Amino acid sequence: VRMAEDRTLIPHVKMGVEAREQVVTKDGLKDAPVTSPHHPLKKFAEAFTRNFDLIAERKSVVFHLRELAKASVMAKYLIDSNARVDTQWYDLADDIVKSTPPEAHPEIPQLWNMRGRSQIQVKNGRLVQSETGQYTSLMS
């Protein structure tokens, strides 16, 4: 958080993307960073990070992600610094909430995870049995 000449607080964030992958371990799949400098995911993440502000100008979802990060930084700063906030700010927030029309689609986006599995049995070069299944789980 930076302070302007007029003593207003300005959140400052530097957004970036990190290349990550799932690796197989004895305990199952684990999330890990991609470390090879020549890996395509690493190159993409570095290019995205370099051009983050330009991408945010053109893609509203990236812009809003950056604005959410700024709001989170400001909220954390105000809490960590034990800042005293005048009650007028709370009243203003209440007024904004009351005057805002309700969302047409108030659902919260969810992460869907789909997995499938197949099992086959071959006897004398011929397919004897096959079984395919899939399940979907919702994570919030």
Side-chain angles (χ1 to χ4, degrees):
V1 176
R2 297 177 176 168
M3 187 176 293
E5 288 181 18
D6 64 354
R7 298 182 48 92
T8 57
L9 297 175
I10 301 171
H12 176 76
V13 295
K14 177 69 176 146
M15 300 290 286
V17 176
E18 181 181 31
R20 300 192 69 81
E21 64 184 342
Q22 289 184 328
V23 293
V24 180
T25 68
K26 63 180 175 133
D27 298 324
L29 291 174
K30 297 290 181 186
D31 184 55
V34 175
T35 56
S36 170
H38 304 294
H39 194 287
L41 287 175
K42 181 82 168 173
K43 289 181 177 183
F44 176 81
E46 289 170 350
F48 200 105
T49 297
R50 241 185 347 269
N51 297 296
F52 198 97
D53 291 334
L54 183 63
I55 294 167
E57 288 176 19
R58 290 170 171 73
K59 296 292 179 186
S60 68
V61 68
V62 178
F63 172 82
H64 287 99
L65 178 65
R66 183 178 58 190
E67 295 304 302
L68 176 62
K70 287 179 183 178
S72 297
V73 165
M74 183 60 77
K76 182 170 178 14
Y77 174 81
L78 292 173
I79 290 170
D80 290 350
S81 66
N82 293 319
R84 288 180 284 175
V85 180
D86 192 285
T87 57
Q88 288 178 326
W89 287 103
Y90 297 115
D91 296 339
L92 177 62
D94 288 341
D95 291 345
I96 291 171
V97 169
K98 288 175 187 171
S99 66
T100 303
E103 290 285 329
H105 305 285
E107 296 89 13
I108 297 172
Q110 302 288 319
L111 175 64
W112 289 87
N113 187 6
M114 296 181 72
R115 293 186 181 180
R117 66 170 189 78
S118 296
Q119 184 174 2
I120 62 170
Q121 183 179 5
V122 178
K123 186 174 185 180
N124 296 328
R126 299 188 82 125
L127 182 64
V128 177
Q129 182 180 6
S130 69
E131 181 182 312
T132 301
Q134 115 177 18
Y135 68 90
T136 303
S137 63
L138 175 66
M139 299 187 222
S140 54

